[in-house]
Amino acid sequence: MCANVIVAEDDEKQAELVRRYLEREGHAVTVVGDGLTALDEVRRGKPDLLVLDVMMPRADGLDVVRVLRAEHRELAVLMLTARATEDDLLLGLDLGADDYMTKPYSPRELMARVRTLLRRTNRPGQVNPTTDAVDQVLSVGALRVDPARHEISVDGTSVECTPGEFRILAAMAAEPDRVFSRQRLLEELHGFDRYISDRTVDVHIMNLRKKIEPAPRKPARLLTVFGVGYKLTDPARNASRA
């Protein structure tokens, strides 16, 4: 699949290296050197992917992600940074990034991450990996997940989610009441990746609860199964059984 990719990186050598590898795989690439220009380029076009350095002039990568998600832009975001602490990783994901690589990195691994993100981000002409029946709307009580349109609603009200949050919720909605381990949900997000911690899933679950639960601190829909993982269920059906 050929994609429209923006590379936001102020290190010219790094930017050129990433551009070359992306173009070898057939992608159209635009390179920018600061955060504000990255925002302008995203708003001007319809990119599929933003490869985003964290430390940049004018606006850093975290601010760029924060603004893009506030504007409800659904492009995939792969962040690059020299910061290697787990707190930095979780902050980037919490703001809406889809994946995170620390420098120095292997260009071949970077391309593998790009391929994974483009496969797992719902774009026209692509099959969503969470379900073979892309036209099927998944329902769990009042929650609706539409993989074909990349839409989520609760009680008829639209819910804005990041691509990573959407993939988790779509996978769980396809099998309601199934308990998903953190490792299984990590595979939905990134495939097997030794650099991603289980806390990544916890951050996504926490954010999803804020969006789909009436009382996020007392979830009734997206439940924790202690010592195992998480499951998605219909609270109205559970209440009637009780």
Side-chain angles (χ1 to χ4, degrees):
M1 172 191 172
C2 295
N4 181 11
V5 183
I6 295 174
V7 176
E9 168 65 78
D10 64 328
D11 184 315
E12 293 183 3
K13 291 183 179 180
Q14 286 287 328
E16 178 64 14
L17 179 65
V18 174
R19 182 189 66 78
R20 288 181 181 180
Y21 271 84
L22 287 166
E23 289 182 344
R24 284 179 191 174
E25 298 205 359
H27 302 304
V29 183
T30 301
V31 176
V32 299
D34 66 82
L36 292 183
T37 305
L39 286 171
D40 289 340
E41 286 295 329
V42 171
R43 291 163 175 160
R44 184 177 297 116
K46 293 184 178 180
D48 302 294
L49 172 67
L50 173 61
V51 179
L52 178 65
D53 186 32
V54 170
M55 301 297 292
M56 285 191 302
R58 301 183 72 197
D60 69 23
L62 296 175
D63 286 334
V64 171
V65 174
R66 186 181 289 110
V67 171
L68 291 177
R69 295 317 187 203
E71 293 177 353
H72 308 304
R73 299 184 187 273
E74 295 185 353
L75 77 163
V77 178
L78 171 59
M79 299 195 77
L80 307 175
T81 182
R83 300 172 177 172
T85 68
E86 187 181 62
D87 286 343
D88 290 324
L89 183 153
L90 294 174
L91 176 58
L93 295 172
D94 189 31
L95 291 173
D98 298 285
D99 202 356
Y100 202 104
M101 291 190 68
T102 56
K103 299 178 180 181
Y105 52 81
S106 159
R108 292 179 61 187
E109 183 184 353
L110 176 64
M111 292 305 102
R113 300 281 192 99
V114 167
R115 288 191 292 272
T116 297
L117 278 178
L118 291 175
R119 283 197 304 269
R120 293 176 182 270
T121 302
N122 190 34
R123 296 290 175 187
Q126 286 184 262
V127 175
N128 192 299
T130 59
T131 176
D132 293 329
V134 294
D135 293 328
Q136 178 184 359
V137 177
L138 305 170
S139 300
V140 184
L143 175 71
R144 302 286 188 274
V145 180
D146 188 335
R149 293 175 176 79
H150 209 268
E151 294 175 349
I152 294 172
S153 64
V154 178
D155 290 321
T157 301
S158 179
V159 176
E160 297 289 342
C161 288
T162 68
E165 292 164 2
F166 185 91
R167 288 194 295 274
I168 285 179
L169 202 59
M172 299 181 79
E175 299 183 73
D177 294 313
R178 172 185 168 179
V179 179
F180 286 77
S181 68
R182 287 178 176 82
Q183 184 58 46
R184 179 70 184 86
L185 293 174
L186 279 173
E187 290 169 2
E188 286 294 330
L189 285 168
H190 304 288
F192 177 76
D193 189 338
R194 65 187 183 276
Y195 298 106
I196 303 296
S197 77
D198 288 353
R199 287 191 62 197
T200 301
V201 170
D202 297 335
V203 171
H204 285 306
I205 293 293
M206 178 183 67
N207 289 336
L208 281 168
R209 283 174 172 161
K210 293 176 183 177
K211 297 174 180 182
I212 69 172
E213 297 279 7
R217 292 182 178 273
K218 296 181 179 180
R221 182 173 283 117
L222 188 48
L223 306 180
T224 299
V225 180
F226 292 100
V228 184
Y230 300 99
K231 70 176 181 179
L232 183 67
T233 191
D234 176 6
R237 185 182 62 186
N238 293 341
S240 64
R241 286 177 178 175

